[in-house]
Amino acid sequence: MAGDLIVPEDPPGFVVRTEVQKAAWDDGFRLERGVENGGWLRYASTTARGEIWIAGVPPRGPWLLSINHPGVAAELAVLPSSALSGPGLATFKFNSL
């Protein structure tokens, strides 16, 4: 719903870290790059260009994905974007991982 305030857990706790790591690893982003301001967990891939950041509100979301690859951002523009800006070029909101 528009106007909902989303505040990612900062720093990310056990549940958020575990769920985010599983989602990142399942999608090929296995290089952990640490935590950035605002509770964003940063990941990279050995095979895909760009990086992703994932943040979440425990225990069940919503979840936020921020990406820095302009081509992927353009392809994902059909997805619901987030009112909360993330560290990447585009940030998207998901109700589940």
Side-chain angles (χ1 to χ4, degrees):
M1 175 183 283
D4 284 347
L5 181 63
I6 300 171
V7 181
E9 187 173 46
D10 186 18
F14 177 78
V15 170
V16 169
R17 281 182 178 271
T18 302
E19 293 296 323
V20 165
Q21 182 184 48
K22 183 180 181 331
W25 279 57
D26 286 351
D27 289 304
F29 286 84
R30 297 184 175 106
L31 302 175
E32 295 183 29
R33 300 292 192 212
V35 180
E36 297 194 5
N37 290 338
W40 292 93
L41 293 150
R42 181 177 170 195
Y43 290 88
S45 172
T46 58
T47 57
R49 290 185 182 172
E51 294 179 311
I52 63 169
W53 294 262
I54 306 174
V57 179
R60 294 185 184 101
W63 303 92
L64 301 164
L65 169 68
S66 193
I67 57 175
N68 72 346
H69 189 287
V72 174
E75 290 290 323
L76 295 178
V78 298
L79 297 175
S81 62
S82 171
L84 177 69
S85 63
L89 296 174
T91 302
F92 303 94
K93 174 187 163 194
F94 300 91
N95 291 324
S96 67
L97 285 170

